[in-house]
Amino acid sequence: DGGITQSPKYLFRKEGQNVTLSCEQNLNHDAMYWYRQDPGQGLRLIYYSQIVNDFQKGDIAEGYSVSREKKESFPLTVTSAQKNPTAFYLCASSQGPGNQPQHFGDGTRLSIL
Amino acid sequence: AQSVTQLGSHVSVSEGALVLLRCNYSSSVPPYLFWYVQYPNQGLQLLLKYTTGATLVKGINGFEAEFKKSETSFHLTKPSAHMSDAAEYFCAVSDRNAGNMLTFGGGTRLMVKP
């Protein structure tokens, strides 16, 4: 079955450490997205990529970085500059115009040790 | 810029009762509209969407929503709640002129009492 795979499911970070969250899709979608979700809040866009080798900052990009070297992969690095990284991170992908929905992975929960 | 407002961060209903989750948007042009459901520690799953045509759209699990342009609303309903409907629900809009970027509401947590 086609879908989006995020790994790991749970991740722990020490102070001052960078960590990378994986997102892989086999839906052949051009666009991919990273969202952050905090308790009781909606989803906030971190970064998005509409095509390979190109990506754009979302609303809360500070302290994060991404790459898009392959169509199926869009890893997110949470750097030590992100002072409050504890959150649930969701990756999504979509294809075509705006009337097509985004498809989501099952998320990665990041916590600080 | 678009915005999405979901009235009521928490809604509690009894099993078998009507479910009504409210969503209002602000946009100069009627957007594409989506409802997603999220179960604990999972991603978002599409319930239904409105893009064009009939304003009453049916989705999975017995949910439906009606697009009302005059009220800039897209409320989600289900005639009879089941315990399995307990989850968080998100309304989202996509600007017709901005590809498939989504703006999400803050979410509504639905609790179903036995």
Side-chain angles (χ1 to χ4, degrees):
Chain A
D1 286 341
I4 300 177
T5 301
Q6 290 188 242
S7 62
K9 182 72 173 175
Y10 299 94
L11 187 58
F12 299 91
R13 194 191 91 169
K14 295 180 180 179
E15 294 287 346
Q17 187 180 49
N18 293 353
V19 291
T20 298
L21 284 60
S22 171
C23 178
E24 303 278 332
Q25 55 102 354
N26 60 4
L27 300 167
N28 201 34
H29 286 170
D30 285 320
M32 297 186 74
Y33 312 82
W34 274 107
Y35 294 94
R36 171 178 171 139
Q37 186 178 24
D38 294 285
Q41 298 189 30
L43 278 67
R44 293 184 289 169
L45 183 64
I46 305 172
Y47 268 98
Y48 64 99
S49 168
Q50 301 281 25
I51 197 168
V52 175
N53 292 322
D54 186 51
F55 49 83
Q56 306 295 329
K57 292 182 179 180
D59 301 320
I60 56 165
E62 184 175 353
Y64 300 97
S65 66
V66 294
S67 63
R68 186 83 188 278
E69 298 176 0
K70 298 185 296 182
K71 186 175 185 177
E72 60 270 23
S73 178
F74 191 41
L76 173 74
T77 296
V78 183
T79 74
S80 57
Q82 173 49 245
K83 297 306 179 187
N84 184 24
T86 297
F88 191 52
Y89 291 87
L90 287 163
C91 179
S93 71
S94 66
Q95 181 68 23
N99 60 354
Q100 297 303 310
Q102 292 184 10
H103 298 258
F104 285 81
D106 279 341
T108 292
R109 186 167 299 280
L110 176 62
S111 301
I112 298 300
L113 287 177
Chain B
Q2 297 178 110
S3 66
V4 182
T5 302
Q6 292 184 237
L7 287 176
S9 59
H10 292 78
V11 170
S12 180
V13 301
S14 297
E15 192 172 20
L18 171 71
V19 176
L20 171 60
L21 305 182
R22 300 178 186 274
C23 173
N24 288 87
Y25 67 90
S26 67
S27 176
S28 57
V29 177
Y32 299 122
L33 298 151
F34 305 85
W35 273 100
Y36 286 88
V37 61
Q38 184 182 34
Y39 298 100
N41 292 312
Q42 294 186 24
L44 276 65
Q45 179 183 3
L46 181 69
L47 272 179
L48 49 80
K49 66 177 183 180
Y50 170 77
T51 57
T52 187
T55 56
L56 181 64
V57 293
K58 296 185 184 299
I60 62 172
N61 301 339
F63 283 92
E64 62 184 35
E66 185 171 12
F67 169 58
K68 292 187 176 180
K69 182 179 176 180
S70 61
E71 299 177 7
T72 61
S73 69
F74 191 55
H75 301 331
L76 182 70
T77 61
K78 182 174 180 178
S80 176
H82 294 165
M83 297 297 291
S84 60
D85 294 327
E88 186 141 24
Y89 293 79
F90 291 94
C91 181
V93 304
S94 172
D95 188 330
R96 290 174 184 260
N97 300 317
N100 33 31
M101 302 296 296
L102 288 178
T103 300
F104 286 89
T108 297
R109 183 167 298 279
L110 176 66
M111 295 166 284
V112 182
K113 299 175 292 186

